[in-house]
Amino acid sequence: MKKLLKKGDLKTGQTGQTLLSYDTGSLKAERILLLACGNKKEFNSNTFAKAVGSATKQLHESNTIDATFVLPESTDDNNAYDLVRSLVNAAENSLYRFDECKSEASTNKRPLKKITLLMTDGKLKSRFEKAVAHGKAIASGQSLAKDLANLPGNICTPTYLAEQAHDIKRGIRKMKVSVLEEKDMKKLGMGALLSVSRGSRQPAKLIIMEYKGASAKTKPVVLVGKGLTFDAGGISIKPSANMDEMKYDMCGGASVLGTLQACAELDLPINVVGIVPSSENLPDGDANKPGDIVTSMSGQTIEVLNTDAEGRLILCDALTYCDKYDPAVVIDIATLTGACIIALGSQASGLMSNNDALADDLTQAGQESNDRVWRLPIWDDYQQQLDSNFADMANIGGRAAGSITAACFLSRFTKKYQWAHLDIAGSAWISGGKDKGATGRPVSLLMQYLLKRAKQL
Ligand code: BES
Ligand code: MN
Ligand code: ZN
């Protein structure tokens, strides 16, 4: 192998480059794939994940069915855990495909079926096994989130999402799933949420998943995910270019389903509640009109100046509903504002919070899981942009600081608990082009946060 490397064909500094050789020397293997992992100084679990992803893809597309990975030397236990989890996660993710809606799924006659990890240090065995389990569960959660998100709006309706939640529950004793129907929401006074679904023929659903891994006394982490299965903007209709991508407006909700599934798969000793308000936003004779005033479950009234700012209308009632769980923290996840894409691109999700410790924990979890967030302020100074002449607040705050004023709107419904808001408008899917598709973010960030809370790391 040293000889091979000396020839210089493999640029070892270029992460993900590979060199396939049939000269396996004394090894029993049929082939050897050398994998460039980048410069030693820059090497970490993220660059490693990138390299592994490219290798597994190549193996899958070649004739390899069974591969053994030799791990790079690691310095300590934590490092070994990180590398193994990244490897498993990256390998699973790199083989993700979405062909549910193709009449003939592309078949691979000799797919990569089995990956073995070679351990040189036996005493790390239990650590390795944990890392493999975590990596797999997170990858399945991401993959569930991607599948739901990639499905078109005519298939993935609020009703479909609710059915999926029931499917996840099946066979899991520690999970409870319930769905509030429009009549239930009406009784609760969810006038903001219901004003959005009034313009659609698909009934709204409020999906509730309760994972109980700890004693009933332990306060739950509540995750709230925006579940707009299609957002045409309503009467304030969106331009038609790329409007198909508004099927992704339920990515927050999908990430909540994926995260709850992963928590259950790992049997985490914590309580987590997932809440997904789900609806369509369409123009219709009965839809919200600009200027309409609606009353939220909290009693606060809202002037709907733009019907395309619908996410906050469904979220605000779901956030009020959270009170009943006496949450330890509430994290909402939403494809909330185009402005967030302008501010942060797809590299980081926006983070806004009323609690510094929670914001710091999420920032760190994002860093560690390579699913990063960047905090934006929600100072009181911004609140006046939501002033309305006719109601307690308007649902838009003008062009300036659009992501922040959206979060300021939500903050008026989250005063009773520690709360963070993740704006995933830029990170939840890859837009346009041949790579168009959901990313599964921020399932790995949320899982990293929950694994730490559950003291599993
Ligand atoms: N779902 C959109 C936000 C969005 C747009 C996410 C593009 C990803 C890509 C949201 O409902 C919306 O339409 N927001 C408006 C708010 C505005 C009217 C204040 C926006 O961002 O334009
Ligand atoms: Mn909208
Ligand atoms: Zn939307």
Side-chain angles (χ1 to χ4, degrees):
M1 256 188 295
K2 279 217 175 97
K3 234 168 56 198
L4 250 178
L5 279 174
K6 262 206 185 128
K7 294 201 193 293
D9 291 18
L10 183 74
K11 309 270 177 302
T12 49
Q14 291 182 15
T15 306
Q17 256 214 16
T18 56
L19 182 68
L20 183 66
S21 167
Y22 293 92
D23 177 9
T24 59
S26 59
L27 283 179
K28 253 187 163 176
E30 279 174 33
R31 312 170 179 83
I32 291 184
L33 188 73
L34 292 179
L35 177 58
C37 289
N39 297 323
K40 205 163 186 178
K41 260 193 259 151
E42 281 141 37
F43 180 81
N44 58 37
S45 57
N46 300 332
T47 56
F48 183 53
K50 196 173 150 203
V52 168
S54 112
T56 35
K57 229 185 195 147
Q58 186 178 342
L59 293 170
H60 184 69
E61 279 153 19
S62 72
N63 271 334
T64 314
I65 301 178
D66 183 342
T68 298
F69 275 82
V70 184
L71 285 168
E73 286 163 34
S74 54
T75 43
D76 59 47
D77 292 18
N78 288 335
N79 197 263
Y81 168 90
D82 285 349
L83 291 184
V84 173
R85 182 172 126 189
S86 300
L87 189 152
V88 173
N89 195 261
E92 298 262 0
N93 280 333
S94 72
L95 302 183
Y96 175 83
R97 293 188 74 93
F98 182 77
D99 38 29
E100 270 178 62
C101 298
K102 304 238 191 208
S103 58
E104 267 174 70
S106 62
T107 48
N108 184 337
K109 289 217 176 74
R110 289 173 63 87
L112 180 60
K113 279 196 186 135
K114 186 173 160 204
I115 290 179
T116 307
L117 304 187
L118 200 66
M119 254 180 8
T120 45
D121 189 350
K123 64 178 195 309
L124 292 176
K125 188 158 186 275
S126 69
R127 203 83 185 115
F128 266 46
E129 279 165 353
K130 205 169 192 178
V132 171
H134 291 177
K136 275 190 164 174
I138 296 168
S140 324
Q142 286 169 302
S143 167
L144 170 70
K146 286 190 230 179
D147 278 346
L148 293 172
N150 284 328
L151 279 171
N154 62 328
I155 295 176
C156 184
T157 58
T159 304
Y160 181 89
L161 269 187
E163 282 164 5
Q164 295 310 300
H166 280 298
D167 274 4
I168 294 169
K169 187 250 145 354
R170 205 155 293 147
I172 302 177
R173 203 172 34 82
K174 294 179 182 170
M175 183 100 81
K176 189 182 144 206
V177 171
S178 48
V179 176
L180 298 189
E181 304 294 334
E182 289 189 344
K183 61 173 190 330
D184 307 314
M185 296 186 249
K186 199 164 174 202
K187 272 190 211 139
L188 290 164
M190 295 186 167
L193 192 162
L194 289 170
S195 78
V196 176
S197 63
R198 231 181 36 238
S200 154
R201 298 190 193 175
Q202 296 291 337
K205 305 276 170 177
L206 189 78
I207 305 163
I208 302 161
M209 305 175 78
E210 293 167 75
Y211 169 71
K212 295 175 186 167
S215 85
K217 287 197 302 273
T218 316
K219 290 183 177 191
V221 171
V222 181
L223 304 175
V224 180
K226 174 177 174 184
L228 254 293
T229 59
F230 192 78
D231 176 16
I235 298 296
S236 316
I237 197 164
K238 288 183 180 295
S240 52
N242 298 330
M243 207 208 266
D244 65 292
E245 295 188 9
M246 281 299 115
K247 71 174 182 181
Y248 288 121
D249 213 15
M250 36 60 72
C251 281
S255 75
V256 170
L257 266 61
T259 300
L260 267 104
Q261 178 186 274
C263 288
E265 193 173 323
L266 293 173
D267 202 30
L268 294 188
I270 44 171
N271 293 331
V272 186
V273 179
I275 298 186
V276 180
S278 185
S279 170
E280 293 182 322
N281 185 28
L282 296 173
D284 177 84
D286 205 23
N288 268 331
K289 302 174 292 298
D292 282 2
I293 293 176
V294 300
T295 305
S296 66
M297 181 181 175
S298 71
Q300 300 176 92
T301 59
I302 303 160
E303 185 184 14
V304 183
L305 287 175
N306 189 320
T307 67
D308 198 10
E310 85 299 336
R312 59 198 83 180
L313 295 176
I314 69 165
L315 285 169
C316 71
D317 281 340
L319 289 167
T320 301
Y321 187 74
C322 285
D323 288 351
K324 75 175 239 179
Y325 294 99
D326 187 19
V329 302
V330 175
I331 303 168
D332 81 72
I333 306 107
T335 47
L336 203 61
T337 63
C340 193
I341 312 175
I342 305 299
L344 299 172
S346 63
Q347 286 83 345
S349 306
L351 162 67
M352 286 141 268
S353 179
N354 64 10
N355 184 280
D356 290 342
L358 175 58
D360 290 347
D361 286 350
L362 288 169
T363 303
Q364 206 191 335
Q367 197 77 39
E368 290 162 356
S369 56
N370 199 26
D371 187 354
R372 283 178 295 186
V373 299
W374 194 255
R375 191 175 184 189
L376 300 170
I378 47 169
W379 299 314
D380 281 343
D381 314 51
Y382 291 103
Q383 291 282 356
Q384 38 124 356
Q385 285 179 238
L386 295 169
D387 286 351
S388 157
N389 284 351
F390 307 109
D392 296 342
M393 69 192 91
N395 77 329
I396 52 170
R399 276 169 56 79
S403 305
I404 292 173
T405 53
C408 284
F409 179 95
L410 298 179
S411 75
R412 297 175 180 218
F413 302 84
T414 61
K415 296 218 164 101
K416 295 197 180 134
Y417 46 72
Q418 298 180 19
W419 159 75
H421 159 63
L422 299 174
D423 193 331
I424 57 166
S427 58
W429 76 92
I430 296 165
S431 183
K434 69 169 176 40
D435 288 332
K436 176 156 62 179
T439 60
R441 288 174 72 181
V443 171
S444 47
L445 153 73
L446 294 171
M447 283 309 294
Q448 181 70 11
Y449 173 74
L450 292 170
L451 282 167
K452 280 182 139 175
R453 261 194 99 93
K455 307 212 161 30
Q456 301 294 299
L457 293 182

